[in-house]
Amino acid sequence: MRRVATACLLASLWPFAPAIGGDADTIATDPGEPTTITVIGDHFARWDGTRWFLQTQIGMPIPYLLYAEKNYEFEPIAMQIRTTIACEKTWRRGPKRFEVSCEIQDIGLQAAGWRPKDEHAPEILDELDARLTHARLQLLVADDGRLTNIDLEGVENDSIRQRAIHEQARMLLVRAMAGFHMRLPPDGSIRKGQWVEYNSTLFEIPAVQGADGQQDGRAPVIVNSMGGSYIIHQLDRYQGHNVVQSLGEGTIEIGEETATEDMRSDFKVRFDGVAIYDEAGIMTERVWAMHGYTTAGSWLAQGRTDPLFFHTGRLAKVELDAKVDVGPTRVVARPGVVSTTIPPWIPIE
């Protein structure tokens, strides 16, 4: 990856993110930096012939569902996605929207299964890897930093089962791309200070859907409803960089109420993140972490105090010719579980 020093800067800033929302003087700042305002000339420049390395990991409160094209299924409870994408603007969709096409150049998928043993899991992951490599993400982006829609192209979806595979893969990639979504201040400039973003798409849990769109007896459909969220962003100059530290909270409801049982669960989710913007107003790196805990009356709670949902990751702009290792595609042990037969879950730092 390019600019090791910048990556070290992100790591050094990470402990300061929870300070946001309290006294602004507790934010990591550099008093020697003059107050500057960066006027963004091109709000879509980050998509103009750029390349990115994305890493994300997701812990699901209910096992996810992945299909092979023929017969087999795999239910991961946690996944890691590492990928390189190359993006280019395609055409303008109005004064404040652009369509962007991103090629998935390489991808590595690691998944921890819900069941202790699943003999078909490796081939399902390999099949998904092959489907997604060189596929394309079609993005609809706004001039205020938001990603308003993400579609997956170049993956067969002619049959009912292929359409289910397509949507299962798309939802995972939506989570991998979520770090790009940061709504900028109303005037679109980069300046020292705070602003608030409401109902960010970062506060979503991947939905699960079978080939028929209904509960299939193995993995229930997740009805994902966001009850409201906010993220407070604080921008300061630090060692010559525009550093945005973010802290947020939100509520997510999943599940459904049936005629015989209330299967709904509410999650209180906390978000922490740090991002770096360059002098042109382009976000060049970001790290973030989300953890969700069920409320006491939730169907999934059952007296547990550990987070049933987590979503952490990082993104970084890389040079077009840089060599990036996305890691293997394989089955790994569940987080916190030691196995003598499969590789361990190694958290993304």
Side-chain angles (χ1 to χ4, degrees), residues 33-37 191-192 237:
E33 289 281 358
T35 299
T36 60
I37 300 175
R191 69 179 74 194
K192 182 176 179 178
R237 294 283 295 179

Side-chain angles (χ1 to χ4, degrees), residues 44 91-99 140-143:
F44 304 102
W91 70 73
R92 185 177 286 276
R93 293 282 295 271
K96 297 185 177 183
R97 298 286 189 277
F98 232 109
E99 194 164 290
L140 185 60
V141 302
D143 65 348

Side-chain angles (χ1 to χ4, degrees), residues 22 200 225 256 301 329 345:
S200 169
S225 174
E256 57 187 345
T329 290
W345 172 279

Side-chain angles (χ1 to χ4, degrees), residues 87-208:
C87 299
E88 187 65 69
K89 295 182 296 188
T90 51
W91 70 73
R92 185 177 286 276
R93 293 282 295 271
K96 297 185 177 183
R97 298 286 189 277
F98 232 109
E99 194 164 290
V100 176
S101 181
C102 297
E103 180 192 7
I104 301 173
Q105 296 180 323
D106 198 5
I107 192 166
L109 305 167
Q110 300 193 43
W114 174 247
R115 300 184 183 94
K117 272 188 151 183
D118 197 323
E119 59 179 318
H120 299 294
E123 64 184 277
I124 292 173
L125 291 176
D126 287 340
E127 183 180 301
L128 183 59
D129 184 321
R131 283 177 177 274
L132 294 180
T133 302
H134 302 306
R136 303 193 77 87
L137 290 167
Q138 199 72 24
L139 316 179
L140 185 60
V141 302
D143 65 348
D144 59 4
R146 292 176 299 136
L147 274 66
T148 61
N149 193 35
I150 299 176
D151 198 8
L152 176 62
E153 298 182 345
V155 175
E156 290 182 323
N157 61 350
D158 298 325
S159 68
I160 292 176
R161 192 171 183 91
Q162 285 177 343
R163 285 195 291 272
I165 294 171
H166 178 277
E167 184 61 14
Q168 291 162 359
R170 189 188 74 87
M171 289 300 297
L172 291 175
L173 292 169
V174 166
R175 293 297 88 209
M177 297 290 292
F180 282 113
H181 184 107
M182 182 190 290
R183 190 164 194 161
L184 296 175
D187 62 359
S189 65
I190 299 294
R191 69 179 74 194
K192 182 176 179 178
Q194 288 189 355
W195 70 96
V196 182
E197 178 180 359
Y198 295 101
N199 298 325
S200 169
T201 56
L202 280 159
F203 288 87
E204 291 181 356
I205 297 176
V208 176

Side-chain angles (χ1 to χ4, degrees), residues 8 65 71 74 90 135 174-175 180 185 230 262 298 308:
C8 293
L65 179 61
N71 302 324
F74 173 43
T90 51
V174 166
R175 293 297 88 209
F180 282 113
Y230 70 88
D262 186 351
S298 296
L308 291 178

Side-chain angles (χ1 to χ4, degrees), residues 53-55 80-84 106-110 126 129 133 323-330 332:
F53 177 40
L54 312 178
Q55 304 178 72
Q80 293 183 346
I81 303 168
R82 294 174 175 86
T83 183
T84 52
D106 198 5
I107 192 166
L109 305 167
Q110 300 193 43
D126 287 340
D129 184 321
T133 302
K323 292 184 178 180
V324 180
D325 182 10
V326 299
T329 290
R330 63 183 181 180
V332 295

Side-chain angles (χ1 to χ4, degrees), residues 46-64:
R46 67 172 167 176
W47 307 112
D48 197 3
T50 54
R51 183 168 177 249
W52 303 86
F53 177 40
L54 312 178
Q55 304 178 72
T56 194
Q57 59 186 17
I58 312 167
M60 286 71 160
I62 296 177
Y64 201 66

